[in-house]
Amino acid sequence: MYEIIEKEELGASIKLIKIQAPLVAAKALAGQFVILRVHEEGERIPVTIADFDRAEGTITCVFQEVGRTTKELGTFEAGDCLKDFVGPLGVPSHIQNYGRVACVGGGVGVAPVYPIARALKEAGNEIISIIGARTKDLIFWEDRMRAVSDELLAATDDGSYGRKGFVTDLLKEIIEDKGIDLCLAIGPLPMMRAVSDLTRRYGVKTVVSINTLMVDGTGMCGCCRVTVGGETRFTCVDGPEFDGHEVDFIELARRSAVYKTQEKVSLDLYEEKGPRHDHQCRCGGEE
Ligand code: FES
């Protein structure tokens, strides 16, 4: 069991948990993720590592409550334990001195951008960070991002904070004003697709981090497959980072929505009846 030692509300439905997991923390690197289960009957969900502290033996995860599992996870408090916490998984971010790097985080995507931006800064890059969200209540970690950036810009769709508009509006200005050597973008699929479409026009290499459905996290089940450059890749072992100009975002969006109906049914049941309402006894006895 993996104990949650800290919990924080970062914004409307965005929560942070710090988990005691010394073996995972000892190996974690920027860009990697974990797969967790909230309890014995819970589904396995991938969550990107937002921070790690080797001395403390902890991993920090940030998530937004959108479906049943994330809502259930949101009810966990410091002192509660997760059933499983497997990682670190995935290929770490490739860190080198590229020159000037734009780090773009959309919504909860700011959390995984942070450790990568920090590592890129430590490698000598000039970091221009752009954080964006639908509205002010969904902006978080501006202070952390500012601490690892040479410049930080914010945008909200409704104009309630920073520039009114999208991260792509700010990114376009940066590219045209100063030019960049690399763009890192993490956030909702439409955002990563829009960023990739924009940077393709300017010939700027772009890395996106993809959060697909996952089951085993070891390249065996095929659940996380994604087409990149016309080839089938597995997000869990080949990713989560890919060349944004090569990702088939249309297919990815379709695959991500495959279980939408079931997810809605599960969430409705959870909200109506609470956790474990649909427990099926697997030992053959009467419930
Ligand atoms: S999660 Fe099963 S192959 Fe990636």
Side-chain angles (χ1 to χ4, degrees):
M1 300 291 265
Y2 294 84
E3 186 181 353
I4 295 171
I5 59 164
E6 222 177 284
K7 181 184 178 190
E8 197 185 328
E9 309 251 344
L10 297 180
S13 72
I14 299 177
K15 296 188 172 157
L16 173 154
I17 50 174
K18 194 187 264 191
I19 302 109
Q20 193 75 54
L23 294 179
V24 182
K27 295 264 174 73
L29 290 169
Q32 292 186 296
F33 64 94
V34 296
I35 288 186
L36 61 83
R37 273 198 311 168
V38 289
H39 52 65
E40 183 69 38
E41 291 142 28
E43 62 174 342
R44 294 160 63 84
I45 58 161
V47 183
T48 321
I49 294 172
D51 206 356
F52 50 87
D53 185 325
R54 296 194 208 289
E56 201 178 52
T58 59
I59 297 284
T60 298
C61 295
V62 173
F63 60 95
Q64 186 161 20
E65 296 172 322
V66 283
R68 177 198 168 139
T69 299
T70 44
K71 279 196 191 283
E72 201 164 355
L73 183 58
T75 66
F76 280 54
E77 301 292 343
D80 290 339
C81 291
L82 302 174
K83 174 72 178 127
D84 295 332
F85 195 78
V86 180
L89 298 167
V91 181
S93 301
H94 181 73
I95 304 297
Q96 68 171 62
N97 191 338
Y98 295 94
R100 182 178 294 134
V101 182
C103 293
V104 184
V108 80
V110 169
V113 165
Y114 169 68
I116 305 171
R118 181 176 59 190
L120 287 167
K121 177 74 181 155
E122 284 166 3
N125 291 281
E126 177 187 342
I127 306 293
I128 301 177
S129 293
I130 304 173
I131 59 175
R134 282 200 320 277
T135 187
K136 186 179 180 205
D137 289 353
L138 298 171
I139 295 273
F140 65 94
W141 276 15
E142 184 179 348
D143 51 344
R144 284 202 194 208
M145 287 300 296
R146 200 178 289 282
V148 298
S149 306
D150 295 272
E151 188 179 344
L152 181 134
L153 304 160
T156 47
D157 297 5
D158 63 2
S160 53
Y161 190 71
R163 177 83 69 85
K164 182 177 183 345
F166 304 117
V167 289
T168 41
D169 300 331
L170 294 170
L171 180 61
K172 184 169 185 287
E173 286 174 19
I174 295 290
I175 294 172
E176 290 182 352
D177 283 359
K178 318 181 172 197
I180 54 173
D181 300 296
L182 176 78
C183 177
L184 164 77
I186 310 181
L189 284 183
M191 185 216 89
M192 292 194 285
R193 184 181 175 192
V195 166
S196 300
D197 286 345
L198 174 73
T199 55
R200 186 184 292 109
R201 298 210 300 270
Y202 293 91
V204 174
K205 180 177 161 63
T206 297
V207 174
V208 296
S209 179
I210 291 173
N211 190 351
T212 52
L213 295 166
M214 288 191 191
V215 180
D216 66 345
T218 65
M220 299 290 282
C221 72
C223 178
C224 68
R225 69 182 179 274
V226 56
T227 302
V228 183
E231 291 183 6
T232 297
R233 310 294 297 277
F234 298 105
T235 313
C236 64
V237 288
D238 299 321
E241 291 181 2
F242 294 104
D243 181 339
H245 299 160
E246 299 276 310
V247 172
D248 184 340
F249 281 105
I250 295 172
E251 180 197 64
L252 186 55
R254 215 169 36 231
R255 285 188 57 80
S256 301
V258 147
Y259 296 113
K260 259 209 160 31
T261 309
Q262 291 87 339
E263 283 167 1
K264 169 130 186 20
V265 169
S266 181
L267 178 60
D268 288 349
L269 277 168
Y270 172 71
E271 291 191 324
E272 192 187 322
K273 300 186 175 174
R276 301 185 185 212
H277 56 272
D278 54 356
H279 171 69
Q280 303 283 324
C281 180
R282 294 182 187 132
C283 64
E286 295 288 318
E287 284 194 85

